[in-house]
Amino acid sequence: MMNSKTKRYNLSDSTIRLVEEEDQFDFLCEGFDSPRARMSCGHVVTPMSLTKWCEQLLKQGEARFVCGQSGCNAEWSYQEVCKMALLTPEEMKNFETTMALNAAARDPNTKFCPGCMTPVTRGSSSDLYVCCHVCSAKTGRSFGFCWQCLREWKGQQPRSDRCENDDCHNSALKTLRECPEVQIELAGGVIGCPSVRACPTCGSLIQHTGIGCTEVSCPRCKMSFCFGCLKNANECIIDDFDICLSGIAARQTSIPVWDGRIFHTEIYSIPYP
């Protein structure tokens, strides 16, 4: 595997437009040891400067790669980034994982097609089959993938439970179903409660250690809710000692779908570990 510190363009690669110009993405003047090449938007990079720029975009929560040079808002395809940044298999894995997480955080109805890594918006929350028009155009046939296992679709559709790929299951639901219990203090004393809950507003999985307050604040949608009864913190009935009087809600069997709203409550909660 090529060391990321020594990534260099191959002078004999005719598919890369090599140029005798300055690296426009070497913002820290590191002087990367590689020939320079021109991106599709016209700006000049080296493999390392492009890699670092794209990593910075991912750290900022982006799921797409935009040039960002003054006056240029061109979007590079993931395929172009892989090629021009000479991404290693490990780097590609890290990029794809972060892209998917960032996309989910920005829009829960968007995921990346496993065939081309193009972001695709889900049409119906009751159908796991999703058609990628980019892959369909490239292959000349309808290409669909499973929203749940993110593999090319197998079997009849539409379906809301699973496709026919082996081990296709909703990992979040499996976690909710199989997570161990923790002991938390409610009005009836110390009671067993599932250690993982899906936020009632956005569906993010949140774990509780059993230590501290039952009221938690979701880091994704910012909604505060009671880990025991799953009610909004404003609706949860508590006693003088801030202990929930409603009891433990059953294990969740579905994941809430988020509408994208961010909530800011005036309730102060004790952070859970």
PDB file of all heavy atoms in Angstrom, residues 109-131:
ATOM      1  N   ASN A 109     -32.923  11.508   4.916  1.00  0.00           N
ATOM      2  CA  ASN A 109     -33.516  10.845   3.754  1.00  0.00           C
ATOM      3  C   ASN A 109     -32.525  10.700   2.601  1.00  0.00           C
ATOM      4  O   ASN A 109     -32.915  10.411   1.475  1.00  0.00           O
ATOM      5  CB  ASN A 109     -34.746  11.621   3.268  1.00  0.00           C
ATOM      6  CG  ASN A 109     -35.896  11.516   4.250  1.00  0.00           C
ATOM      7  OD1 ASN A 109     -36.168  10.438   4.772  1.00  0.00           O
ATOM      8  ND2 ASN A 109     -36.553  12.623   4.528  1.00  0.00           N
ATOM      9  N   THR A 110     -31.235  10.918   2.870  1.00  0.00           N
ATOM     10  CA  THR A 110     -30.210  10.796   1.841  1.00  0.00           C
ATOM     11  C   THR A 110     -29.144   9.792   2.265  1.00  0.00           C
ATOM     12  O   THR A 110     -28.660   9.833   3.390  1.00  0.00           O
ATOM     13  CB  THR A 110     -29.539  12.157   1.561  1.00  0.00           C
ATOM     14  OG1 THR A 110     -30.512  13.059   1.042  1.00  0.00           O
ATOM     15  CG2 THR A 110     -28.410  12.017   0.549  1.00  0.00           C
ATOM     16  N   LYS A 111     -28.804   8.895   1.359  1.00  0.00           N
ATOM     17  CA  LYS A 111     -27.688   7.968   1.564  1.00  0.00           C
ATOM     18  C   LYS A 111     -26.906   7.872   0.260  1.00  0.00           C
ATOM     19  O   LYS A 111     -27.357   8.326  -0.792  1.00  0.00           O
ATOM     20  CB  LYS A 111     -28.192   6.582   1.989  1.00  0.00           C
ATOM     21  CG  LYS A 111     -28.757   6.549   3.408  1.00  0.00           C
ATOM     22  CD  LYS A 111     -29.062   5.136   3.866  1.00  0.00           C
ATOM     23  CE  LYS A 111     -29.598   5.130   5.292  1.00  0.00           C
ATOM     24  NZ  LYS A 111     -29.868   3.758   5.785  1.00  0.00           N
ATOM     25  N   PHE A 112     -25.719   7.255   0.328  1.00  0.00           N
ATOM     26  CA  PHE A 112     -24.876   7.150  -0.850  1.00  0.00           C
ATOM     27  C   PHE A 112     -25.082   5.812  -1.539  1.00  0.00           C
ATOM     28  O   PHE A 112     -25.035   4.758  -0.906  1.00  0.00           O
ATOM     29  CB  PHE A 112     -23.404   7.328  -0.478  1.00  0.00           C
ATOM     30  CG  PHE A 112     -23.041   8.748  -0.164  1.00  0.00           C
ATOM     31  CD1 PHE A 112     -23.145   9.232   1.125  1.00  0.00           C
ATOM     32  CD2 PHE A 112     -22.627   9.611  -1.165  1.00  0.00           C
ATOM     33  CE1 PHE A 112     -22.826  10.550   1.417  1.00  0.00           C
ATOM     34  CE2 PHE A 112     -22.312  10.929  -0.881  1.00  0.00           C
ATOM     35  CZ  PHE A 112     -22.409  11.399   0.409  1.00  0.00           C
ATOM     36  N   CYS A 113     -25.304   5.866  -2.847  1.00  0.00           N
ATOM     37  CA  CYS A 113     -25.472   4.646  -3.641  1.00  0.00           C
ATOM     38  C   CYS A 113     -24.207   3.805  -3.539  1.00  0.00           C
ATOM     39  O   CYS A 113     -23.100   4.321  -3.742  1.00  0.00           O
ATOM     40  CB  CYS A 113     -25.756   5.013  -5.092  1.00  0.00           C
ATOM     41  SG  CYS A 113     -25.662   3.600  -6.225  1.00  0.00           S
ATOM     42  N   PRO A 114     -24.316   2.509  -3.245  1.00  0.00           N
ATOM     43  CA  PRO A 114     -23.124   1.661  -3.144  1.00  0.00           C
ATOM     44  C   PRO A 114     -22.438   1.445  -4.485  1.00  0.00           C
ATOM     45  O   PRO A 114     -21.278   1.034  -4.528  1.00  0.00           O
ATOM     46  CB  PRO A 114     -23.683   0.342  -2.587  1.00  0.00           C
ATOM     47  CG  PRO A 114     -25.123   0.334  -3.025  1.00  0.00           C
ATOM     48  CD  PRO A 114     -25.559   1.771  -2.977  1.00  0.00           C
ATOM     49  N   GLY A 115     -23.130   1.747  -5.586  1.00  0.00           N
ATOM     50  CA  GLY A 115     -22.532   1.545  -6.899  1.00  0.00           C
ATOM     51  C   GLY A 115     -21.655   2.686  -7.348  1.00  0.00           C
ATOM     52  O   GLY A 115     -20.602   2.477  -7.967  1.00  0.00           O
ATOM     53  N   CYS A 116     -22.052   3.933  -7.050  1.00  0.00           N
ATOM     54  CA  CYS A 116     -21.316   5.095  -7.563  1.00  0.00           C
ATOM     55  C   CYS A 116     -21.026   6.142  -6.498  1.00  0.00           C
ATOM     56  O   CYS A 116     -20.392   7.156  -6.791  1.00  0.00           O
ATOM     57  CB  CYS A 116     -22.085   5.737  -8.709  1.00  0.00           C
ATOM     58  SG  CYS A 116     -23.692   6.432  -8.201  1.00  0.00           S
ATOM     59  N   MET A 117     -21.497   5.926  -5.271  1.00  0.00           N
ATOM     60  CA  MET A 117     -21.313   6.877  -4.156  1.00  0.00           C
ATOM     61  C   MET A 117     -21.962   8.230  -4.422  1.00  0.00           C
ATOM     62  O   MET A 117     -21.574   9.248  -3.865  1.00  0.00           O
ATOM     63  CB  MET A 117     -19.829   7.054  -3.830  1.00  0.00           C
ATOM     64  CG  MET A 117     -19.207   5.838  -3.173  1.00  0.00           C
ATOM     65  SD  MET A 117     -20.074   5.306  -1.665  1.00  0.00           S
ATOM     66  CE  MET A 117     -19.757   6.684  -0.561  1.00  0.00           C
ATOM     67  N   THR A 118     -22.955   8.268  -5.293  1.00  0.00           N
ATOM     68  CA  THR A 118     -23.740   9.481  -5.517  1.00  0.00           C
ATOM     69  C   THR A 118     -24.829   9.558  -4.448  1.00  0.00           C
ATOM     70  O   THR A 118     -25.487   8.559  -4.156  1.00  0.00           O
ATOM     71  CB  THR A 118     -24.397   9.457  -6.908  1.00  0.00           C
ATOM     72  OG1 THR A 118     -23.389   9.440  -7.903  1.00  0.00           O
ATOM     73  CG2 THR A 118     -25.292  10.673  -7.110  1.00  0.00           C
ATOM     74  N   PRO A 119     -25.046  10.718  -3.825  1.00  0.00           N
ATOM     75  CA  PRO A 119     -26.121  10.825  -2.834  1.00  0.00           C
ATOM     76  C   PRO A 119     -27.491  10.643  -3.482  1.00  0.00           C
ATOM     77  O   PRO A 119     -27.781  11.229  -4.525  1.00  0.00           O
ATOM     78  CB  PRO A 119     -25.944  12.239  -2.264  1.00  0.00           C
ATOM     79  CG  PRO A 119     -25.160  12.987  -3.289  1.00  0.00           C
ATOM     80  CD  PRO A 119     -24.290  11.979  -3.976  1.00  0.00           C
ATOM     81  N   VAL A 120     -28.302   9.807  -2.878  1.00  0.00           N
ATOM     82  CA  VAL A 120     -29.630   9.494  -3.401  1.00  0.00           C
ATOM     83  C   VAL A 120     -30.657   9.756  -2.310  1.00  0.00           C
ATOM     84  O   VAL A 120     -30.463   9.370  -1.162  1.00  0.00           O
ATOM     85  CB  VAL A 120     -29.724   8.022  -3.863  1.00  0.00           C
ATOM     86  CG1 VAL A 120     -31.126   7.717  -4.385  1.00  0.00           C
ATOM     87  CG2 VAL A 120     -28.675   7.727  -4.929  1.00  0.00           C
ATOM     88  N   THR A 121     -31.736  10.411  -2.669  1.00  0.00           N
ATOM     89  CA  THR A 121     -32.805  10.700  -1.719  1.00  0.00           C
ATOM     90  C   THR A 121     -33.877   9.626  -1.795  1.00  0.00           C
ATOM     91  O   THR A 121     -34.313   9.252  -2.884  1.00  0.00           O
ATOM     92  CB  THR A 121     -33.425  12.078  -2.007  1.00  0.00           C
ATOM     93  OG1 THR A 121     -32.412  13.085  -1.894  1.00  0.00           O
ATOM     94  CG2 THR A 121     -34.539  12.382  -1.022  1.00  0.00           C
ATOM     95  N   ARG A 122     -34.295   9.179  -0.648  1.00  0.00           N
ATOM     96  CA  ARG A 122     -35.310   8.128  -0.572  1.00  0.00           C
ATOM     97  C   ARG A 122     -36.680   8.695  -0.905  1.00  0.00           C
ATOM     98  O   ARG A 122     -37.055   9.759  -0.406  1.00  0.00           O
ATOM     99  CB  ARG A 122     -35.304   7.543   0.832  1.00  0.00           C
ATOM    100  CG  ARG A 122     -36.176   6.317   1.029  1.00  0.00           C
ATOM    101  CD  ARG A 122     -36.064   5.866   2.479  1.00  0.00           C
ATOM    102  NE  ARG A 122     -36.723   4.599   2.711  1.00  0.00           N
ATOM    103  CZ  ARG A 122     -36.800   4.020   3.905  1.00  0.00           C
ATOM    104  NH1 ARG A 122     -36.256   4.610   4.951  1.00  0.00           N
ATOM    105  NH2 ARG A 122     -37.417   2.861   4.047  1.00  0.00           N
ATOM    106  N   GLY A 123     -37.429   7.978  -1.727  1.00  0.00           N
ATOM    107  CA  GLY A 123     -38.740   8.456  -2.130  1.00  0.00           C
ATOM    108  C   GLY A 123     -39.817   8.203  -1.103  1.00  0.00           C
ATOM    109  O   GLY A 123     -40.644   9.061  -0.822  1.00  0.00           O
ATOM    110  N   SER A 124     -39.804   6.997  -0.505  1.00  0.00           N
ATOM    111  CA  SER A 124     -40.848   6.627   0.451  1.00  0.00           C
ATOM    112  C   SER A 124     -40.221   5.951   1.651  1.00  0.00           C
ATOM    113  O   SER A 124     -39.377   5.057   1.512  1.00  0.00           O
ATOM    114  CB  SER A 124     -41.864   5.678  -0.202  1.00  0.00           C
ATOM    115  OG  SER A 124     -42.741   5.132   0.774  1.00  0.00           O
ATOM    116  N   SER A 125     -40.647   6.353   2.837  1.00  0.00           N
ATOM    117  CA  SER A 125     -40.110   5.757   4.058  1.00  0.00           C
ATOM    118  C   SER A 125     -40.634   4.344   4.284  1.00  0.00           C
ATOM    119  O   SER A 125     -40.140   3.630   5.155  1.00  0.00           O
ATOM    120  CB  SER A 125     -40.454   6.627   5.270  1.00  0.00           C
ATOM    121  OG  SER A 125     -41.864   6.742   5.415  1.00  0.00           O
ATOM    122  N   SER A 126     -41.612   3.923   3.501  1.00  0.00           N
ATOM    123  CA  SER A 126     -42.181   2.582   3.655  1.00  0.00           C
ATOM    124  C   SER A 126     -41.620   1.588   2.646  1.00  0.00           C
ATOM    125  O   SER A 126     -42.018   0.433   2.624  1.00  0.00           O
ATOM    126  CB  SER A 126     -43.706   2.641   3.516  1.00  0.00           C
ATOM    127  OG  SER A 126     -44.070   3.098   2.226  1.00  0.00           O
ATOM    128  N   ASP A 127     -40.667   2.014   1.815  1.00  0.00           N
ATOM    129  CA  ASP A 127     -40.091   1.149   0.800  1.00  0.00           C
ATOM    130  C   ASP A 127     -38.568   1.202   0.882  1.00  0.00           C
ATOM    131  O   ASP A 127     -37.973   2.278   0.774  1.00  0.00           O
ATOM    132  CB  ASP A 127     -40.554   1.586  -0.597  1.00  0.00           C
ATOM    133  CG  ASP A 127     -40.097   0.625  -1.690  1.00  0.00           C
ATOM    134  OD1 ASP A 127     -39.517  -0.436  -1.354  1.00  0.00           O
ATOM    135  OD2 ASP A 127     -40.324   0.935  -2.871  1.00  0.00           O
ATOM    136  N   LEU A 128     -37.944   0.044   1.091  1.00  0.00           N
ATOM    137  CA  LEU A 128     -36.491  -0.014   1.211  1.00  0.00           C
ATOM    138  C   LEU A 128     -35.799   0.021  -0.151  1.00  0.00           C
ATOM    139  O   LEU A 128     -34.584   0.242  -0.221  1.00  0.00           O
ATOM    140  CB  LEU A 128     -36.064  -1.297   1.946  1.00  0.00           C
ATOM    141  CG  LEU A 128     -36.418  -1.369   3.433  1.00  0.00           C
ATOM    142  CD1 LEU A 128     -36.047  -2.740   3.985  1.00  0.00           C
ATOM    143  CD2 LEU A 128     -35.712  -0.274   4.215  1.00  0.00           C
ATOM    144  N   TYR A 129     -36.531  -0.206  -1.229  1.00  0.00           N
ATOM    145  CA  TYR A 129     -35.932  -0.191  -2.559  1.00  0.00           C
ATOM    146  C   TYR A 129     -35.723   1.250  -3.022  1.00  0.00           C
ATOM    147  O   TYR A 129     -36.635   2.068  -2.989  1.00  0.00           O
ATOM    148  CB  TYR A 129     -36.832  -0.920  -3.563  1.00  0.00           C
ATOM    149  CG  TYR A 129     -36.310  -0.853  -4.987  1.00  0.00           C
ATOM    150  CD1 TYR A 129     -35.362  -1.773  -5.437  1.00  0.00           C
ATOM    151  CD2 TYR A 129     -36.770   0.125  -5.871  1.00  0.00           C
ATOM    152  CE1 TYR A 129     -34.878  -1.712  -6.732  1.00  0.00           C
ATOM    153  CE2 TYR A 129     -36.281   0.195  -7.174  1.00  0.00           C
ATOM    154  CZ  TYR A 129     -35.341  -0.728  -7.596  1.00  0.00           C
ATOM    155  OH  TYR A 129     -34.860  -0.657  -8.887  1.00  0.00           O
ATOM    156  N   VAL A 130     -34.480   1.553  -3.446  1.00  0.00           N
ATOM    157  CA  VAL A 130     -34.154   2.889  -3.930  1.00  0.00           C
ATOM    158  C   VAL A 130     -33.452   2.755  -5.272  1.00  0.00           C
ATOM    159  O   VAL A 130     -32.503   1.976  -5.410  1.00  0.00           O
ATOM    160  CB  VAL A 130     -33.244   3.651  -2.947  1.00  0.00           C
ATOM    161  CG1 VAL A 130     -33.001   5.072  -3.441  1.00  0.00           C
ATOM    162  CG2 VAL A 130     -33.846   3.667  -1.557  1.00  0.00           C
ATOM    163  N   CYS A 131     -33.901   3.505  -6.263  1.00  0.00           N
ATOM    164  CA  CYS A 131     -33.307   3.462  -7.598  1.00  0.00           C
ATOM    165  C   CYS A 131     -32.265   4.567  -7.730  1.00  0.00           C
ATOM    166  O   CYS A 131     -32.523   5.725  -7.394  1.00  0.00           O
ATOM    167  CB  CYS A 131     -34.379   3.625  -8.667  1.00  0.00           C
ATOM    168  SG  CYS A 131     -33.728   3.621 -10.361  1.00  0.00           S
TER     169      CYS A 131
END
